[in-house]
């Protein structure tokens, strides 16, 4: 055992190592889906310490800390970041096999040039060293993005957002990373929520129109879509925890919408009909406004309702669900295809054990004139680790060309999560290297270079129209 970080991490063959270090290692990053806060980027505050960098808003680490029985005051409570760091450091050495261990190692190496692992014995020393470096290098939010060679970031905002900080950053000559926003209309899709009517009023105010029907709601959403387009956005983000396609007529949907708006009771079938109509109509609007439709499918949100009530949403109590069927999403894609308004689409199934089925579905809706029109997204959320990446490469390359992928994203609330792109690139090059060394690929190195550069960078620029 070396006891230090290895630059050959996940590179298990000579060809893969050469491909990574020669072609992938230093490519710019386009992070086309994350949950960073634009206001923080604009204000560009220096971090307090490694505790803040690691543990502020990171529900991956929060979930792991709970598994070790750490008290909530050191997770989401009012303890200092130093105390939270020390609590986390006490269990980090025991996270063998967990991506958090590797992410932390990469973050220490890339931002602080620290090769050694955090242990109980050196936790204080590493805290002191990193805190001194934060001050010395003035490590701010933007510094992290620039240090990681991040060319573009897409945050995620509600249609009613005024995009104030996006506009300010675009007018700030000191801003080196381009920042756009993904259009996320989930609150308009969840009509069973108690605040649906209040949200409709808010949506109407932001669009400058009365929203008193399903049709008018769609008009308001499209007006906001155009508004988002003005800052360079070409990305939607539709969170679809559960989806069952249910046939409908527009009069039925108008009646369902009015019932929800007035606070009336809704049946399960009515909710399914509404979501089917909503996603179909939004897909049409994405198509005609030049947006890519991203469908994040299969989350079991807020599983531990008692803890969510006490601590809040998005704090580590969401899970994977398998109820949303390939068939239902296929019905949506088919309806849009028959209407001649299928947008470019990326599917992100959270149930990674069925990724082959989703890859086949995506391939079935590709068509002439648009490369990889519908594709399987990067392994998402609980799958964005080496095993999940390897599983998808090996399973889905048989069914959908890996070379057409738009590559990795962070889906993160952390400004130092960009090494996840590095992890992806290492696993990709190792996979390609194994194919070469087994004799399953014997093309030119120039072709391999093109595949790596496309997956890591070129494809995403072309697919989303980032220029």
């Amino acid at each position: 055992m070396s006891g230090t970080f290895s630059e050959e991490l996940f590179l298990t063959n000579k060809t893969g190592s050469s491909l990574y270090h020669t072609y992938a290692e230093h490519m710019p990053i386009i992070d086309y889906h994350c949950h960073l806060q634009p206001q923080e980027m604009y204000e560009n505050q220096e971090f307090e310490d490694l505790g803040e960098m690691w543990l502020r808003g990171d529900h991956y680490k929060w979930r792991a800390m709970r598994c070790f029985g750490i008290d909530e005051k050191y997770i989401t409570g009012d303890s200092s970041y130093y105390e939270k760091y020390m609590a986390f450091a006490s269990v980090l050495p025991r996270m063998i096999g967990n991506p958090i261990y590797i992410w932390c190692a990469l973050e220490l190496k890339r931002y602080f040039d620290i090769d050694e692992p955090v242990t109980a014995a050196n936790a204080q020393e590493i805290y002191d060293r990193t805190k001194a470096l934060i001050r010395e290098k003035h490590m701010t939010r933007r510094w992290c993005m620039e240090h990681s060679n991040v060319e573009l970031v897409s945050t995620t905002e509600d249609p009613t957002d005024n995009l104030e900080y996006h506009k300010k950053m675009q007018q700030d000559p000191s801003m080196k990373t381009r920042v756009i926003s993904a259009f996320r209309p989930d609150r308009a899709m969840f009509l069973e929520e108690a605040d649906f009517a209040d949200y409709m009023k808010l949506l109407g105010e932001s669009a400058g129109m009365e929203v008193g029907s399903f049709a008018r709601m769609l008009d308001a959403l499209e007006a906001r879509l155009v508004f988002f387009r003005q800052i360079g956005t070409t990305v939607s983000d539709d969170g679809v925890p559960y989806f069952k396609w249910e046939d409908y007529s527009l009069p039925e949907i108008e009646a369902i919408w009015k019932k929800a708006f007035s606070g009336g009771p809704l049946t399960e079938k009515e909710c399914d009909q509404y979501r089917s109509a909503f996603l179909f109509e939004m897909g049409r609007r994405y198509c005609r406004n030049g947006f890519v439709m991203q469908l994040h499918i299969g989350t079991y949100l807020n599983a531990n309702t008692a803890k969510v009530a006490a601590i809040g949403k998005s704090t580590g109590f969401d899970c994977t669900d398998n109820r949303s069927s390939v068939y239902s999403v296929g019905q949506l894609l088919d309806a849009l295809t028959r209407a001649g308004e299928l947008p470019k689409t990326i599917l992100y199934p959270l149930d990674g054990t069925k990724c082959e089925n989703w890859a086949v579905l995506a391939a079935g809706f590709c068509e002439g004139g648009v490369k990889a029109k519908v594709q399987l997204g990067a392994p998402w959320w609980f799958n964005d680790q080496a095993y999940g990446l390897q599983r998808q490469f090996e399973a889905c390359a048989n069914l959908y060309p890996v070379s057409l992928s738009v590559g990795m994203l962070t889906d993160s609330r952390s400004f130092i999560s960009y090494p996840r792109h590095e992890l992806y690139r290492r696993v990709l090059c190792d996979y390609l290297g194994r194919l070469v060394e087994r004799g399953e690929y014997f093309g030119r190195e120039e072709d391999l270079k093109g595949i790596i550069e496309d997956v890591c960078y070129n494809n995403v620029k072309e697919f989303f129209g980032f220029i």
Side-chain angles (χ1 to χ4, degrees):
M1 293 179 61
S2 67
T4 59
F5 175 82
S6 171
E7 288 293 352
E8 294 306 294
L9 177 69
F10 296 123
L11 300 173
T12 63
N13 59 83
K14 290 183 179 179
T15 303
S17 176
S18 176
L19 292 172
Y20 173 73
H21 292 301
T22 305
Y23 304 118
E25 185 172 10
H26 300 295
M27 294 202 73
I29 288 173
I30 294 179
D31 192 25
Y32 55 92
H33 176 71
C34 73
H35 297 281
L36 298 176
Q37 294 301 308
Q39 183 175 350
E40 288 189 40
M41 294 185 203
Y42 177 72
E43 295 176 347
N44 200 31
Q45 294 296 310
E46 187 177 283
F47 287 98
E48 177 181 326
D49 58 14
L50 184 57
E52 181 185 12
M53 295 175 95
W54 265 356
L55 295 164
R56 185 172 183 264
D58 193 331
H59 52 81
Y60 287 93
K61 294 184 179 74
W62 295 348
R63 178 190 294 265
M65 291 169 77
R66 292 187 189 110
C67 290
F68 281 96
I70 291 175
D71 192 283
E72 193 67 33
K73 70 180 180 179
Y74 299 113
I75 302 173
T76 60
D78 58 3
S79 297
S80 69
Y81 282 122
Y82 168 75
E83 292 172 312
K84 291 176 179 179
Y85 162 82
M86 293 302 288
F88 176 65
S90 72
V91 297
L92 181 57
R94 301 179 65 189
M95 291 189 196
I96 186 169
N98 191 292
I100 290 173
Y101 186 86
I102 293 300
W103 290 341
C104 289
L106 283 166
E107 289 157 7
L108 283 175
K109 177 61 180 174
R110 297 300 170 230
Y111 298 102
F112 301 99
D113 198 27
I114 293 176
D115 291 288
E116 61 191 286
V118 175
T119 66
N122 71 2
Q124 182 66 52
E125 178 194 350
I126 285 181
Y127 178 86
D128 293 338
R129 286 168 61 187
T130 55
K131 184 154 184 157
L133 282 166
I134 288 170
R135 299 293 174 265
E136 177 187 327
K137 297 185 178 182
H138 190 45
M139 292 186 184
T140 65
R141 273 65 176 168
R142 295 188 200 178
W143 182 92
C144 292
M145 295 190 290
E146 293 163 12
H147 183 77
S148 299
N149 198 18
V150 180
E151 185 175 296
L152 180 147
V153 165
S154 178
T155 61
T156 303
E157 272 71 46
D158 185 90
T160 62
D161 196 286
N162 63 13
L163 304 181
E164 172 189 1
Y165 292 101
H166 290 82
K167 293 176 182 177
K168 287 182 176 180
M169 283 187 282
Q170 289 186 349
Q171 296 165 2
D172 183 350
S174 69
M175 188 76 197
K176 297 179 181 178
T177 302
R178 182 182 174 194
V179 183
I180 63 170
S181 174
F183 182 88
R184 183 160 190 154
D186 293 11
R187 290 183 67 188
M189 185 170 65
F190 298 132
L191 80 169
E192 67 271 35
E193 295 294 330
D195 65 349
F196 181 74
D198 292 336
Y199 180 70
M200 288 298 105
K201 294 172 184 175
L202 184 63
L203 176 62
E205 290 171 3
S206 68
M209 63 180 71
E210 289 289 329
V211 175
S213 67
F214 179 68
R216 289 295 284 169
M217 179 196 73
L218 292 173
D219 289 341
L221 286 169
E222 186 159 20
R224 299 305 294 168
L225 201 64
V226 171
F227 175 74
F228 272 60
R229 193 71 167 85
Q230 291 171 356
I231 66 157
T233 290
T234 58
V235 189
S236 84
D237 176 21
D238 295 84
V240 189
Y242 168 70
F243 178 58
K244 178 186 177 185
W245 179 269
E246 193 72 61
D247 290 334
Y248 61 87
S249 67
L250 284 177
E252 285 178 306
I253 299 304
E254 286 291 359
I256 292 168
W257 189 96
K258 291 184 185 303
K259 186 190 291 189
F261 188 75
S262 64
L266 298 164
T267 67
E268 184 177 331
K269 179 179 179 180
E270 287 173 331
C271 291
D272 291 336
Q273 285 180 302
Y274 177 82
R275 272 187 270 280
S276 299
F278 182 88
L279 288 171
F280 172 75
E281 293 295 341
M282 289 309 300
R284 295 177 63 204
R285 284 153 180 80
Y286 297 146
C287 184
R288 65 192 184 212
N289 287 282
F291 274 63
V292 174
M293 179 169 69
Q294 296 187 103
L295 299 178
H296 289 84
I297 306 159
T299 49
Y300 173 17
L301 297 174
N302 309 318
N304 188 335
T305 57
K307 285 295 185 182
V308 170
I311 300 171
K313 296 179 180 179
S314 299
T315 54
F317 300 105
D318 300 327
C319 304
T320 304
D321 196 7
N322 62 358
R323 294 178 301 158
S324 296
S325 70
V326 173
Y327 175 81
S328 285
V329 176
Q331 291 288 98
L332 170 64
L333 300 179
D334 184 54
L336 288 165
T337 300
R338 285 186 281 109
E341 295 182 282
L342 176 66
K344 292 180 181 178
T345 301
I346 305 179
L347 305 176
Y348 300 91
L350 196 52
D351 182 1
T353 64
K354 297 181 175 63
C355 60
E356 296 100 322
N357 299 343
W358 293 98
V360 172
L361 178 70
F365 286 92
C366 290
E367 55 190 17
V370 182
K371 186 167 64 176
K373 184 171 185 176
V374 179
Q375 63 176 274
L376 194 64
W380 169 52
W381 203 341
F382 301 111
N383 305 304
D384 60 353
Q385 21 71 16
Y387 172 72
L389 294 167
Q390 291 165 354
R391 176 175 59 193
Q392 185 162 311
F393 287 144
E394 298 197 1
C396 298
N398 297 298
L399 308 166
Y400 197 108
V402 167
S403 62
L404 299 179
S405 170
V406 294
M408 193 55 174
L409 45 79
T410 62
D411 187 35
S412 175
R413 292 167 172 80
S414 168
F415 282 88
I416 58 170
S417 63
Y418 298 109
R420 295 181 196 181
H421 285 260
E422 176 182 338
L423 190 155
Y424 176 94
R425 294 171 181 185
R426 287 174 176 273
V427 175
L428 170 67
C429 291
D430 186 70
Y431 167 68
L432 297 178
R434 281 185 281 117
L435 293 180
V436 170
E437 296 194 0
R438 292 201 304 254
E440 295 177 43
Y441 186 85
F442 40 91
R444 303 176 306 159
E445 182 166 335
E446 185 67 21
D447 294 322
L448 286 165
K449 172 181 182 290
I451 289 168
I452 291 166
E453 292 177 348
D454 283 350
V455 172
C456 295
Y457 180 75
N458 296 327
N459 287 347
V460 67
K461 290 194 76 171
E462 179 183 349
F463 194 75
F464 288 102
F466 296 148
I467 54 175

